[in-house]
Amino acid sequence: MPKNLSKIAKAKKIKYFLISFVDFFGVLRSKLVPAQAITDMQKNGAGFAGFATWLDMSPADGDMFALPDPESLIQLPWNKEIGWLASDLYMYGKPVKASPRVMLKEQINRLNKKDLVMKSGVECEYFLISEDGSKIADTRDTQSKPCYDQSALMRRYDLIKEICDSMIAMGWNPYQNDHEDANGQFEMNWDYTDCLTTADRHVFFKYMVKSLAEKHGLRATFMPKPFSNLTGNGCHAHISLWNGKINKFLDNGDKLGLSKLAYNFLGGIMKLTQPLTAFFNPTINSYRRINAPPTKSGATWSPSSISYTGNNRTHMIRIPDKGRFELRLMDGAVNPYLLQAGVIAAGLHGINNKIDPGEPLSCNMYTDHKNYPNLKKLPDIIEDALDQLENSKEIKEAFGGDTIKSYLKLKRSEIKDFNQEEKFDKKSSVTHWEKNSTLDC
């Protein structure tokens, strides 16, 4: 039986619930529901007009209902009167197939049929910036190599501490916080778990960081590349497949510690990277981070070629330890549900077709890429990524042609809006349109 949210509200003294969902563009949508109404909401869902969000619906469509998942409940550590709930979208009594959390759950079900569960962790980078987004908030954070700078980190101790304390209170088991490679940039890490929980926590983490930053008089952004001369915001994912307590990616006899299943899964991701870049790097601004010139620190820390390696951060996929790999492609604008869904879909394609990723490369891909002319490259602009997605029969089979058509329609509408005002040029400064549209991604 599902948890009774009304009883939980009384026990935990929750007065209001945020019934939330994420649309195609990763925007967190919610209704604030008093606890006295949660029984009906748990049964029937909270009503929304789908056309008012990025979900390719029209004003003529009927009501869309967000059915809260009681297992996702998070009591806001900084305001315990409020409980946050992730939800699945329904229309006319059926799941909305073209909605990100439903898309992920469908991929999870496909994986479950093979008695497998994907566990994952994410590394979410963000900047603390001025209110107008024109500069970083800490004017003393000026080193050319600021990564792990203790002084810059500790000047933000009060905020970092509150975020980390909140994760501890929620049982996420955070284990490190650091200043990242760009001035004003930070990263906070917590334990990996099943991919649906990780996606829900990823959504909430972004909301929490932005909210607590505002509380401290700051603004936080996960925008992929808010400053042309600084390293962008990545969102690396660590991936493994499990059967119960058995890590099916682990093979102690392999030189990198991965099983045949893991290599096939990895091979599927490499095969479908180009179309999936449309999910993993979903904004116009994302393509300032990919294939970008060196930054102030000397490296972009983002990939340009589709390759894998051992413990080497210049490649798209890194195997830092036995039994897992790190996918370094995604950026801070990635939709948390489409991140996990895309990885599963590609990995299953690799398993089902026994795709061999080839031998790992040990070179410095940033300096030696010219020695590997046959390696596939990542899309250079979002239009190229969308074209790859449109032409991918594998991704259409995984998610449904209509779902992909809706995603393409909305993203191309966004590009049309941009092109009416600006022109995309990686050599020029980040445009006002990009900042206005992406700072709060």
Side-chain angles (χ1 to χ4, degrees), residues 108-288:
I108 290 171
N109 289 337
R110 291 180 65 211
L111 198 57
N112 290 166
K113 290 177 181 177
K114 294 183 179 290
D115 295 321
L116 294 169
V117 169
M118 189 171 86
K119 293 187 179 183
S120 61
V122 289
E123 302 176 5
C124 303
E125 295 174 340
Y126 62 92
F127 283 90
L128 294 174
I129 57 174
S130 61
E131 180 60 33
D132 65 357
S134 64
K135 56 185 179 294
I136 64 168
D138 184 355
T139 57
R140 294 168 61 188
D141 189 350
T142 58
Q143 287 193 40
S144 59
K145 283 187 178 289
C147 203
Y148 315 125
D149 180 358
Q150 178 172 295
S151 295
L153 174 67
M154 293 307 290
R155 283 197 292 274
R156 294 300 177 218
Y157 173 75
D158 289 345
L159 172 58
I160 300 296
K161 176 182 182 296
E162 187 167 2
I163 297 170
C164 193
D165 283 349
S166 295
M167 288 193 283
I168 292 170
M170 293 184 293
W172 293 13
N173 298 317
Y175 54 88
Q176 63 185 15
N177 311 291
D178 67 71
H179 189 294
E180 274 296 316
D181 188 64
N183 306 114
Q185 187 184 46
F186 300 86
E187 180 181 294
M188 310 177 75
N189 304 128
W190 66 91
D191 272 359
Y192 71 95
T193 186
D194 72 274
C195 62
L196 180 62
T197 301
T198 290
D200 287 339
R201 289 177 176 178
H202 185 178
V203 171
F204 187 82
F205 178 78
K206 293 177 73 172
Y207 166 67
M208 174 171 63
V209 169
K210 294 173 190 176
S211 297
L212 294 180
E214 288 179 12
K215 178 182 172 183
H216 287 261
L218 300 165
R219 184 176 182 180
T221 183
F222 294 83
M223 183 176 177
K225 191 82 167 175
F227 306 105
S228 299
N229 65 326
L230 300 179
T231 306
N233 283 324
C235 185
H236 306 155
H238 293 258
I239 307 296
S240 55
L241 292 186
W242 295 70
N243 179 299
K245 295 183 179 180
I246 300 172
N247 182 353
K248 302 296 287 186
F249 272 13
L250 179 63
D251 182 352
N252 287 314
D254 178 71
K255 61 182 179 181
L256 293 176
L258 292 188
S259 66
K260 179 66 174 176
L261 180 79
Y263 282 115
N264 290 157
F265 194 92
L266 189 158
I269 290 174
M270 292 177 67
K271 174 75 181 298
L272 298 178
T273 290
Q274 290 174 319
L276 280 175
T277 305
F279 282 174
F280 295 161
N281 305 87
T283 69
I284 292 167
N285 179 260
S286 295
Y287 297 82
R288 292 186 182 275

Side-chain angles (χ1 to χ4, degrees), residues 2-19 33-42 70 73-76 79-85:
K3 295 177 180 177
N4 186 308
L5 290 172
S6 180
K7 289 182 178 179
I8 291 172
K10 291 175 183 176
K12 293 182 175 290
K13 298 181 180 179
I14 295 173
K15 295 183 178 180
Y16 288 89
F17 288 92
L18 282 166
I19 297 181
V33 173
Q36 68 186 40
I38 196 60
T39 298
D40 180 66
M41 295 294 172
Q42 184 172 3
L73 174 64
I74 294 173
Q75 191 171 9
L76 272 57
N79 188 346
K80 291 186 177 294
E81 290 185 355
I82 301 172
W84 179 86
L85 291 158

Side-chain angles (χ1 to χ4, degrees), residues 19-32:
I19 297 181
S20 305
F21 69 93
V22 170
D23 66 19
F24 264 150
F25 285 13
V27 180
L28 183 57
R29 312 282 185 169
S30 301
K31 282 196 172 180
L32 186 64

